[in-house]
Amino acid sequence: MLSTHQIWTIVFTVPFLTRAIHARGKLNVLHMIADDLRPTLGCYSDPVVKSPNIDQLASKSTVFYNAFTQQAVCAPSRTSFLTSRRPDTTKLYDFNSYWRVHAGNYTTLPQYFKSNGYTTFSVGKVFHPGIASNHSDDYPYSWSVPPYHPPSLYYEKRKVCKDKDGTLHSNLLCAVNVSEMPLGTLPDMENTAEAIRLLKSVSDADNPFFLAVGFYKPHIPFRIPQEFLKLYPIENLTLAPDPDVPKKLPSVAYNPWTDIRKRDDVRALNVSFPYGPIPKDFQLQIRQHYFAAVSYVDAQVGKLLSALDDLDLARNTIVVFSSDHGWSLGEHGEWAKYSNFDVATHVPLIVYKPDEASAVRNFGEKIFPFIDVSQNSEEYYNGGKGHGVESVVELVDLFPTLSYLAGLNPPHRCPNPSFHVQLCTEGFNLAYLFKHPETHIDHESYAFSQYPRPSDSIQQNSDLPDLADIRIMGYSVRSNDFRYTLWVTFDPVHFRANLSDIHAGELYVRSEDPGEDNNIFDDVEHGSVLRKLGTQATWTESLKQHIYYFNAGSKSKGVL
Ligand SMILES: *[C@@H]1O[C@H](CO)[C@@H](O)[C@H](O)[C@H]1NC(C)=O
Ligand SMILES: *[C@@H]1O[C@H](CO)[C@@H](O)[C@H](O)[C@H]1NC(C)=O
Ligand SMILES: *[C@@H]1O[C@H](CO)[C@@H](O)[C@H](O)[C@H]1NC(C)=O
Ligand SMILES: *[C@@H]1O[C@H](CO)[C@@H](O)[C@H](O)[C@H]1NC(C)=O
Ligand SMILES: *[C@@H]1O[C@H](CO)[C@@H](O)[C@H](O)[C@H]1NC(C)=O
Ligand SMILES: *[C@@H]1O[C@H](CO)[C@@H](O)[C@H](O)[C@H]1NC(C)=O
């Protein structure tokens, strides 16, 4: 028998509990995506880059230290993580097809939220523009309203960068006085303003929202506000620790950074193809501008999070900060993305999930106060590191993880093949790692990335071959201990890899060679290392399993 007190307790608390559960089941999502950003951030222990706002977010979040993209170039990566399918399933390795027509009518991450009652918004570069998203950013399937593109983007690659003599060029290095720019602004500033406007418009709405904000930086050209450069005096900077092309690097693995060669200031250097090198003083300036571009993105993140907070949305909004892939800053004598190295595949992945602490706080206390590093370079964020996860995870894991955290059913694992299945995932729900970040160092967790090439030797189109020109696919597997890559014959008509036809291989042992400079693939004398890792045949089997069976069941991440 219940006492009247107990009955009243139940009568009073059940509706509150229900409401609390309901509210928890309807969390908003703010997904910020940087373009070409490797984890050069304070919260990833980068010693140089100033990123106080992202660090502040990280201090209240789960930080995935070992997150990897599935292909290190924009359109294939974005189509992959937004559909939670690998490039072999989206059949997109270049920029030139729309998955719904070319591969399968796959449901996207925002589309899934939209179909579950969310209002979904796209600001800036979320899907890759052009054919890859049917010239519509996949509107109306993925978005409730037409996606926003900032007007000043029109000037992004035009002659707006001032040389020392005052003439205007299409430069790589393009730190500008923003008030002198056409329209008096820059694309990411417009993105931030539009995202804040949208947050204001939905703050009282009944439906939850999914707001994706794709920043254009630190992608080249480095058209950024000039005040961020002074955070990185050239005399304080160093070259990459390994600025030379490694001796045992197979040529098929090298990317010749053709995109930066096309900019006016780089072209004037007469850098030889394919290896260069770029003169050292210019290398330092590229690094300086990249770091400054990261701090500029950090400022946008800070402004947006501060607005989220002011609108009292930080207590019921999941915040994700990620990137599409990395960018080589001179490591291995390489620049840009377009490879299977860590510098190109390793990405930041930070996930903030509101909890009781963020719901109950003192009046006026902010979760995300804006930190203005451009005005005061001493303003670091020193407030702790958040929950660090060492397990190796992949961007295809985002879709099931975000769905679950927001209160939706995560999609089921894909069968193989899955071209006919609209809604499924080739990733894993990482929610387990939020509750148990300490149960990491899971040596069984792998990330798979791949990169296509037109030939064994380096050509003008080695960075980004069109589908019809692909002859070789580099399949790469990364664990906490090693990276292993096989470059094999690939048939672009039937989308078939021939694993018996190996053109080259790479094996890097992380404990001895974190920069991936010493390829020991052909070095049978490294028997003890290989025994530690298992035999090469084992890893080949693991790759085969991935390619033919999409790795079903061979990954043992914690799955809810
Ligand atoms: C693709 O799926 C969407 C719903 O997700 C549907 O509206 C559309 O008709 C489908 N298109 C084709 C060609 O099947
Ligand atoms: C792609 O866009 C065109 C033009 O707006 C439209 O007619 C076509 O149906 C779209 N394709 C798909 C698969 O929705
Ligand atoms: C930026 O340009 C504006 C307009 O030409 C000028 O007034 C201002 O002094 C410039 N700022 C800097 C820091 O050069
Ligand atoms: C540059 O290095 C000097 C000497 O180590 C240091 O005092 C200064 O704070 C550094 N400047 C910046 C902006 O990091
Ligand atoms: C690059 O080559 C052009 C034409 O050959 C020459 O005029 C110019 O001085 C060269 N620049 C450098 C930096 O070597
Ligand atoms: C795969 O490559 C091997 C070795 O070159 C060759 O013998 C075999 O015929 C190829 N298989 C297919 C299906 O092309």
Side-chain angles (χ1 to χ4, degrees), residues 207-273:
N207 291 354
F209 65 83
F210 180 105
L211 168 59
V213 182
F215 295 115
Y216 292 92
K217 295 297 115 179
H219 194 293
I220 68 162
F222 301 118
R223 189 165 75 117
I224 53 169
Q226 59 193 9
E227 55 269 28
F228 288 93
L229 273 195
K230 69 173 189 292
L231 298 176
Y232 306 99
I234 282 282
E235 59 274 21
N236 283 31
L237 300 181
T238 57
L239 297 180
D242 52 349
D244 301 317
V245 180
K247 286 194 185 63
K248 287 185 275 182
L249 181 70
S251 58
V252 69
Y254 181 85
N255 67 280
W257 33 279
T258 40
D259 56 350
I260 76 168
R261 291 168 195 267
K262 290 185 187 128
R263 309 302 300 168
D264 289 350
D265 46 354
V266 180
R267 203 179 318 147
L269 299 170
N270 300 338
V271 176
S272 78
F273 186 88

Coordinates of all heavy atoms in Angstrom, one line a residue, residues 207-273:
N207 N 9.1 23.3 -32.3 CA 9.9 22.2 -32.9 C 11.4 22.4 -32.5 O 11.9 23.5 -32.5 CB 9.9 22.2 -34.4 CG 8.5 21.8 -34.9 OD1 7.6 21.4 -34.1 ND2 8.3 21.9 -36.2
P208 N 12.1 21.3 -32.3 CA 13.5 21.4 -32.1 C 14.2 21.8 -33.4 O 13.6 21.6 -34.5 CB 14.0 20.0 -31.6 CG 12.9 19.1 -32.1 CD 11.6 19.9 -32.2
F209 N 15.5 22.2 -33.4 CA 16.2 22.6 -34.6 C 17.4 21.8 -34.8 O 18.0 21.3 -33.8 CB 16.5 24.1 -34.7 CG 17.4 24.6 -33.7 CD1 18.8 24.5 -33.9 CD2 16.9 25.2 -32.5 CE1 19.7 24.9 -32.9 CE2 17.8 25.7 -31.5 CZ 19.2 25.5 -31.7
F210 N 17.8 21.6 -36.0 CA 19.2 21.1 -36.4 C 19.8 22.2 -37.3 O 19.3 22.4 -38.4 CB 19.0 19.8 -37.2 CG 20.3 19.1 -37.6 CD1 20.8 18.0 -36.9 CD2 21.0 19.6 -38.6 CE1 22.0 17.4 -37.3 CE2 22.2 19.0 -39.0 CZ 22.7 17.9 -38.3
L211 N 20.8 22.9 -36.7 CA 21.4 23.9 -37.5 C 22.9 23.5 -37.8 O 23.7 23.3 -36.9 CB 21.4 25.2 -36.6 CG 22.3 26.4 -37.1 CD1 21.9 26.9 -38.5 CD2 22.2 27.6 -36.2
A212 N 23.1 23.4 -39.1 CA 24.5 23.1 -39.6 C 25.1 24.3 -40.1 O 24.6 25.0 -40.9 CB 24.5 22.0 -40.7
V213 N 26.3 24.6 -39.6 CA 27.1 25.8 -40.0 C 28.4 25.4 -40.5 O 29.2 24.9 -39.8 CB 27.2 26.8 -38.8 CG1 28.0 28.1 -39.3 CG2 25.9 27.2 -38.2
G214 N 28.6 25.6 -41.8 CA 29.9 25.2 -42.5 C 30.7 26.4 -42.7 O 30.5 27.2 -43.6
F215 N 31.8 26.5 -41.9 CA 32.8 27.6 -42.1 C 33.7 27.3 -43.3 O 34.0 26.2 -43.6 CB 33.6 27.8 -40.8 CG 32.8 28.3 -39.7 CD1 32.7 27.5 -38.5 CD2 32.1 29.5 -39.7 CE1 31.9 27.9 -37.4 CE2 31.4 29.9 -38.6 CZ 31.2 29.1 -37.5
Y216 N 34.1 28.4 -44.0 CA 34.9 28.2 -45.2 C 36.4 28.1 -44.9 O 37.2 27.8 -45.8 CB 34.6 29.3 -46.2 CG 33.2 29.3 -46.8 CD1 32.2 30.0 -46.2 CD2 32.9 28.5 -47.9 CE1 30.9 29.9 -46.7 CE2 31.7 28.4 -48.4 CZ 30.6 29.1 -47.8 OH 29.4 29.0 -48.3
K217 N 36.8 28.5 -43.8 CA 38.2 28.5 -43.4 C 38.5 27.4 -42.5 O 37.6 26.9 -41.8 CB 38.6 29.9 -42.8 CG 38.5 31.1 -43.7 CD 39.4 31.1 -44.9 CE 38.5 31.1 -46.1 NZ 39.3 31.1 -47.4
P218 N 39.8 26.9 -42.4 CA 41.0 27.5 -42.9 C 41.3 27.1 -44.4 O 42.5 27.2 -44.8 CB 42.1 27.1 -42.0 CG 41.6 25.7 -41.5 CD 40.1 25.9 -41.4
H219 N 40.3 26.7 -45.2 CA 40.6 26.3 -46.6 C 41.2 27.5 -47.3 O 41.0 28.7 -47.0 CB 39.2 26.0 -47.2 CG 39.2 25.4 -48.6 ND1 39.7 26.0 -49.7 CD2 38.9 24.1 -48.9 CE1 39.6 25.2 -50.7 NE2 39.1 24.0 -50.3
I220 N 42.1 27.2 -48.3 CA 42.7 28.3 -49.1 C 41.6 28.9 -50.0 O 40.6 28.3 -50.3 CB 43.9 27.7 -50.0 CG1 43.3 26.8 -51.1 CG2 44.9 27.0 -49.1 CD1 44.3 26.6 -52.2
P221 N 41.8 30.2 -50.4 CA 42.9 31.1 -50.1 C 42.8 31.6 -48.6 O 41.7 31.6 -48.1 CB 42.8 32.2 -51.1 CG 41.3 32.2 -51.4 CD 40.9 30.8 -51.4
F222 N 43.9 32.0 -48.0 CA 43.8 32.4 -46.6 C 43.3 33.9 -46.6 O 44.1 34.8 -46.2 CB 45.2 32.3 -46.0 CG 45.6 30.8 -45.9 CD1 46.8 30.5 -46.6 CD2 44.9 29.8 -45.3 CE1 47.3 29.1 -46.6 CE2 45.3 28.5 -45.3 CZ 46.5 28.2 -45.9
R223 N 42.1 34.1 -47.1 CA 41.5 35.5 -47.0 C 40.9 35.6 -45.7 O 39.8 35.1 -45.4 CB 40.5 35.6 -48.2 CG 40.0 37.1 -48.3 CD 39.3 37.4 -49.6 NE 37.9 36.9 -49.6 CZ 36.8 37.6 -49.7 NH1 36.9 38.9 -49.8 NH2 35.6 37.0 -49.7
I224 N 41.6 36.3 -44.8 CA 41.3 36.4 -43.4 C 41.5 37.8 -42.9 O 42.3 38.5 -43.5 CB 42.1 35.4 -42.5 CG1 43.6 35.6 -42.8 CG2 41.7 33.9 -42.9 CD1 44.5 34.9 -41.9
P225 N 40.9 38.2 -41.8 CA 41.1 39.5 -41.2 C 42.6 39.6 -40.8 O 43.1 38.8 -40.1 CB 40.2 39.6 -40.0 CG 39.1 38.6 -40.3 CD 39.8 37.5 -41.0
Q226 N 43.3 40.7 -41.2 CA 44.7 40.8 -40.9 C 45.1 40.8 -39.5 O 46.2 40.4 -39.1 CB 45.2 42.1 -41.6 CG 44.6 43.4 -41.1 CD 44.9 44.6 -41.9 OE1 45.4 44.5 -43.0 NE2 44.5 45.8 -41.5
E227 N 44.2 41.2 -38.6 CA 44.6 41.3 -37.1 C 44.9 39.9 -36.6 O 45.6 39.8 -35.6 CB 43.5 42.0 -36.3 CG 42.1 41.4 -36.4 CD 41.2 42.0 -37.4 OE1 41.8 42.5 -38.5 OE2 40.0 42.0 -37.3
F228 N 44.5 38.8 -37.2 CA 44.8 37.5 -36.7 C 46.3 37.1 -36.9 O 46.8 36.2 -36.3 CB 43.8 36.4 -37.2 CG 42.5 36.5 -36.6 CD1 41.5 37.3 -37.2 CD2 42.2 35.9 -35.4 CE1 40.2 37.4 -36.6 CE2 40.9 36.1 -34.8 CZ 39.9 36.8 -35.4
L229 N 46.9 37.7 -37.9 CA 48.3 37.4 -38.3 C 49.2 37.7 -37.1 O 50.2 37.0 -36.9 CB 48.8 38.1 -39.5 CG 48.5 37.6 -40.9 CD1 49.4 38.3 -41.9 CD2 48.8 36.1 -40.9
K230 N 48.9 38.8 -36.4 CA 49.9 39.2 -35.4 C 50.0 38.2 -34.2 O 50.9 38.3 -33.3 CB 49.6 40.6 -34.9 CG 48.4 40.8 -34.1 CD 48.3 42.3 -33.6 CE 47.2 42.5 -32.6 NZ 45.8 42.4 -33.2
L231 N 49.0 37.3 -34.1 CA 49.1 36.3 -33.1 C 50.3 35.3 -33.3 O 50.7 34.5 -32.5 CB 47.8 35.4 -33.0 CG 46.5 36.2 -32.7 CD1 45.3 35.2 -32.8 CD2 46.6 36.8 -31.3
Y232 N 50.8 35.3 -34.6 CA 51.8 34.4 -35.0 C 53.0 35.1 -35.6 O 53.2 35.0 -36.9 CB 51.2 33.3 -35.9 CG 50.0 32.7 -35.3 CD1 48.7 33.1 -35.7 CD2 50.1 31.7 -34.4 CE1 47.6 32.5 -35.1 CE2 49.0 31.1 -33.8 CZ 47.7 31.5 -34.2 OH 46.6 30.9 -33.6
P233 N 53.8 35.8 -34.8 CA 55.0 36.4 -35.4 C 55.9 35.4 -36.1 O 56.1 34.3 -35.6 CB 55.7 37.0 -34.2 CG 54.8 36.9 -33.1 CD 53.8 35.9 -33.4
I234 N 56.3 35.7 -37.4 CA 57.1 34.7 -38.2 C 58.3 34.2 -37.4 O 58.6 33.0 -37.4 CB 57.5 35.4 -39.5 CG1 56.4 35.4 -40.5 CG2 58.7 34.7 -40.1 CD1 56.1 34.1 -41.2
E235 N 58.9 35.1 -36.6 CA 60.1 34.7 -35.9 C 59.8 33.7 -34.8 O 60.8 33.0 -34.4 CB 60.9 35.9 -35.3 CG 60.1 36.8 -34.3 CD 59.2 37.8 -35.0 OE1 58.9 37.7 -36.2 OE2 58.9 38.8 -34.3
N236 N 58.6 33.5 -34.4 CA 58.2 32.5 -33.4 C 57.9 31.2 -34.1 O 57.6 30.2 -33.4 CB 57.0 33.0 -32.6 CG 57.4 34.0 -31.6 OD1 58.3 34.8 -31.8 ND2 56.7 34.0 -30.4
L237 N 57.8 31.1 -35.4 CA 57.3 29.9 -36.0 C 58.5 29.0 -36.5 O 59.6 29.5 -36.8 CB 56.4 30.3 -37.2 CG 55.2 31.1 -36.9 CD1 54.3 31.3 -38.1 CD2 54.3 30.3 -35.8
T238 N 58.2 27.7 -36.7 CA 59.2 26.8 -37.3 C 58.5 26.1 -38.5 O 57.3 26.1 -38.6 CB 59.5 25.7 -36.2 OG1 58.3 25.1 -35.8 CG2 60.2 26.3 -35.0
L239 N 59.4 25.5 -39.3 CA 58.9 24.6 -40.4 C 58.3 23.4 -39.8 O 58.5 23.1 -38.6 CB 60.1 24.2 -41.3 CG 60.8 25.4 -42.0 CD1 61.9 24.8 -42.8 CD2 59.9 26.1 -42.9
A240 N 57.7 22.6 -40.6 CA 57.2 21.3 -40.2 C 58.4 20.5 -39.6 O 59.5 20.7 -40.1 CB 56.6 20.5 -41.3
P241 N 58.2 19.6 -38.6 CA 59.4 18.9 -38.1 C 60.0 17.9 -39.2 O 61.2 17.6 -39.0 CB 58.8 18.0 -37.0 CG 57.3 18.1 -37.2 CD 57.0 19.3 -37.9
D242 N 59.3 17.6 -40.2 CA 59.8 16.7 -41.2 C 59.5 17.2 -42.6 O 58.6 16.7 -43.4 CB 59.1 15.3 -41.1 CG 57.6 15.4 -41.0 OD1 57.0 16.5 -40.9 OD2 56.9 14.4 -41.1
P243 N 60.2 18.3 -43.0 CA 59.8 19.0 -44.2 C 60.3 18.4 -45.5 O 60.0 18.9 -46.6 CB 60.4 20.4 -44.0 CG 61.6 20.2 -43.2 CD 61.2 19.0 -42.3
D244 N 61.0 17.3 -45.5 CA 61.5 16.6 -46.7 C 60.6 15.4 -47.1 O 60.0 14.8 -46.2 CB 62.9 16.2 -46.5 CG 63.8 17.4 -46.1 OD1 63.7 18.5 -46.7 OD2 64.6 17.2 -45.2
V245 N 60.6 15.1 -48.4 CA 59.9 14.0 -48.9 C 60.6 12.7 -48.4 O 61.8 12.6 -48.6 CB 59.8 14.0 -50.4 CG1 59.1 12.8 -50.9 CG2 59.2 15.3 -50.9
P246 N 60.0 11.8 -47.6 CA 60.6 10.7 -47.1 C 61.2 9.8 -48.2 O 60.6 9.6 -49.2 CB 59.5 9.9 -46.3 CG 58.5 11.0 -46.0 CD 58.5 11.9 -47.2
K247 N 62.4 9.2 -47.9 CA 63.0 8.3 -49.0 C 62.2 7.1 -49.4 O 62.2 6.8 -50.5 CB 64.4 7.9 -48.4 CG 65.4 9.0 -48.4 CD 66.8 8.4 -48.2 CE 67.9 9.5 -48.0 NZ 67.6 10.4 -46.8
K248 N 61.6 6.5 -48.4 CA 60.9 5.3 -48.7 C 59.4 5.5 -49.0 O 58.6 4.6 -48.9 CB 61.1 4.3 -47.6 CG 62.5 3.7 -47.6 CD 62.7 2.6 -46.6 CE 63.0 3.2 -45.2 NZ 63.2 2.2 -44.2
L249 N 59.0 6.7 -49.4 CA 57.6 7.0 -49.7 C 57.4 6.6 -51.2 O 58.0 7.1 -52.1 CB 57.4 8.5 -49.5 CG 55.9 8.9 -49.8 CD1 55.0 8.4 -48.8 CD2 55.8 10.5 -49.9
P250 N 56.4 5.7 -51.4 CA 56.1 5.3 -52.8 C 55.5 6.6 -53.5 O 54.7 7.3 -52.8 CB 55.0 4.2 -52.6 CG 54.8 3.9 -51.2 CD 55.6 5.0 -50.4
S251 N 55.8 6.8 -54.7 CA 55.3 8.0 -55.4 C 53.8 8.0 -55.5 O 53.2 9.1 -55.4 CB 56.0 8.1 -56.8 OG 55.6 7.0 -57.6
V252 N 53.2 6.9 -55.5 CA 51.7 6.9 -55.6 C 51.1 7.5 -54.3 O 49.9 8.0 -54.4 CB 51.2 5.4 -55.8 CG1 51.4 4.5 -54.6 CG2 49.7 5.4 -56.3
A253 N 51.8 7.5 -53.2 CA 51.3 8.0 -52.0 C 51.4 9.5 -51.9 O 50.7 10.1 -51.0 CB 52.0 7.4 -50.8
Y254 N 52.2 10.1 -52.7 CA 52.5 11.6 -52.6 C 51.4 12.4 -53.3 O 51.0 12.0 -54.4 CB 53.9 11.8 -53.2 CG 54.3 13.3 -53.2 CD1 55.0 13.7 -52.1 CD2 54.1 14.1 -54.3 CE1 55.4 15.1 -52.0 CE2 54.6 15.4 -54.2 CZ 55.2 15.9 -53.1 OH 55.7 17.2 -53.1
N255 N 51.0 13.5 -52.7 CA 50.1 14.4 -53.4 C 50.9 15.7 -53.8 O 51.5 16.3 -52.9 CB 48.9 14.8 -52.5 CG 49.3 15.5 -51.3 OD1 49.7 15.0 -50.3 ND2 49.1 16.8 -51.3
P256 N 50.8 16.1 -55.1 CA 51.7 17.3 -55.5 C 51.1 18.7 -55.3 O 51.6 19.6 -55.9 CB 51.8 17.0 -57.0 CG 50.6 16.3 -57.4 CD 50.1 15.5 -56.2
W257 N 50.1 18.8 -54.4 CA 49.5 20.1 -54.0 C 49.4 21.1 -55.2 O 49.8 22.2 -55.2 CB 50.3 20.7 -52.9 CG 51.8 20.5 -52.8 CD1 52.4 19.3 -52.3 CD2 52.9 21.3 -53.2 NE1 53.7 19.4 -52.3 CE2 54.1 20.6 -52.9 CE3 53.0 22.5 -53.8 CZ2 55.4 21.1 -53.2 CZ3 54.2 23.1 -54.1 CH2 55.4 22.4 -53.7
T258 N 48.6 20.7 -56.2 CA 48.4 21.5 -57.4 C 47.5 22.7 -57.1 O 47.7 23.7 -57.7 CB 47.8 20.7 -58.5 OG1 46.8 19.8 -58.0 CG2 48.8 19.9 -59.2
D259 N 46.7 22.6 -56.1 CA 45.7 23.8 -55.9 C 46.5 25.0 -55.4 O 46.2 26.1 -55.8 CB 44.6 23.4 -54.9 CG 45.1 22.9 -53.5 OD1 46.3 22.6 -53.4 OD2 44.2 22.7 -52.6
I260 N 47.5 24.8 -54.5 CA 48.1 26.0 -54.0 C 49.1 26.6 -55.1 O 49.3 27.8 -55.1 CB 48.9 25.8 -52.6 CG1 50.2 25.1 -52.7 CG2 48.0 25.2 -51.6 CD1 51.0 25.2 -51.4
R261 N 49.6 25.7 -56.0 CA 50.5 26.2 -57.0 C 49.8 27.2 -58.0 O 50.4 27.9 -58.7 CB 51.0 25.0 -57.9 CG 51.9 24.1 -57.2 CD 52.1 22.8 -58.0 NE 52.8 21.8 -57.2 CZ 54.1 21.6 -57.2 NH1 54.9 22.3 -57.9 NH2 54.5 20.6 -56.4
K262 N 48.4 27.1 -58.0 CA 47.6 27.9 -59.0 C 47.5 29.3 -58.5 O 47.0 30.2 -59.2 CB 46.3 27.3 -59.2 CG 46.4 26.0 -60.0 CD 45.0 25.4 -60.4 CE 45.1 24.1 -61.0 NZ 44.3 23.1 -60.4
R263 N 47.7 29.6 -57.2 CA 47.5 31.0 -56.7 C 48.7 31.9 -57.2 O 49.8 31.4 -57.4 CB 47.5 31.0 -55.2 CG 46.6 30.0 -54.5 CD 45.1 30.1 -54.9 NE 44.6 31.4 -54.6 CZ 43.4 31.9 -55.0 NH1 42.7 31.2 -55.8 NH2 43.0 33.1 -54.6
D264 N 48.3 33.1 -57.5 CA 49.3 34.1 -58.1 C 50.6 34.1 -57.4 O 51.7 34.1 -58.0 CB 48.7 35.5 -58.2 CG 47.6 35.6 -59.2 OD1 47.4 34.6 -60.0 OD2 46.9 36.6 -59.2
D265 N 50.6 34.2 -56.0 CA 51.8 34.4 -55.3 C 52.7 33.1 -55.3 O 53.9 33.2 -55.3 CB 51.6 34.9 -53.8 CG 50.5 34.1 -53.1 OD1 49.8 33.2 -53.8 OD2 50.3 34.3 -51.9
V266 N 52.1 31.9 -55.3 CA 52.8 30.7 -55.3 C 53.4 30.5 -56.8 O 54.5 30.1 -56.9 CB 52.0 29.5 -54.9 CG1 52.8 28.2 -54.9 CG2 51.5 29.7 -53.5
R267 N 52.6 30.8 -57.8 CA 53.0 30.6 -59.2 C 54.3 31.5 -59.4 O 55.2 31.0 -60.1 CB 51.9 31.0 -60.1 CG 52.1 30.4 -61.5 CD 51.0 30.7 -62.5 NE 49.7 30.7 -61.9 CZ 48.7 31.5 -62.4 NH1 48.9 32.3 -63.3 NH2 47.5 31.4 -61.8
A268 N 54.3 32.6 -58.8 CA 55.5 33.5 -59.0 C 56.8 32.9 -58.5 O 57.9 33.4 -58.8 CB 55.2 34.9 -58.4
L269 N 56.7 31.9 -57.6 CA 57.9 31.3 -57.0 C 58.5 30.3 -57.9 O 59.6 29.8 -57.6 CB 57.5 30.6 -55.7 CG 56.9 31.5 -54.6 CD1 56.4 30.6 -53.4 CD2 57.9 32.4 -54.0
N270 N 57.9 29.9 -59.0 CA 58.4 28.9 -60.0 C 58.8 27.6 -59.3 O 59.9 27.1 -59.5 CB 59.7 29.5 -60.7 CG 59.4 30.7 -61.5 OD1 58.2 31.0 -61.9 ND2 60.4 31.5 -61.8
V271 N 58.0 27.2 -58.4 CA 58.3 25.9 -57.6 C 58.2 24.7 -58.6 O 57.3 24.6 -59.4 CB 57.3 25.7 -56.5 CG1 57.5 24.4 -55.8 CG2 57.4 26.9 -55.5
S272 N 59.2 23.8 -58.6 CA 59.2 22.8 -59.5 C 58.2 21.7 -59.2 O 57.9 21.4 -58.0 CB 60.6 22.2 -59.7 OG 60.9 21.4 -58.6
F273 N 57.7 21.0 -60.2 CA 56.7 19.9 -60.1 C 57.4 18.6 -60.1 O 58.3 18.4 -60.9 CB 55.7 20.0 -61.2 CG 54.5 19.1 -61.1 CD1 53.4 19.5 -60.4 CD2 54.6 17.8 -61.6 CE1 52.3 18.6 -60.2 CE2 53.5 16.9 -61.5 CZ 52.4 17.3 -60.8

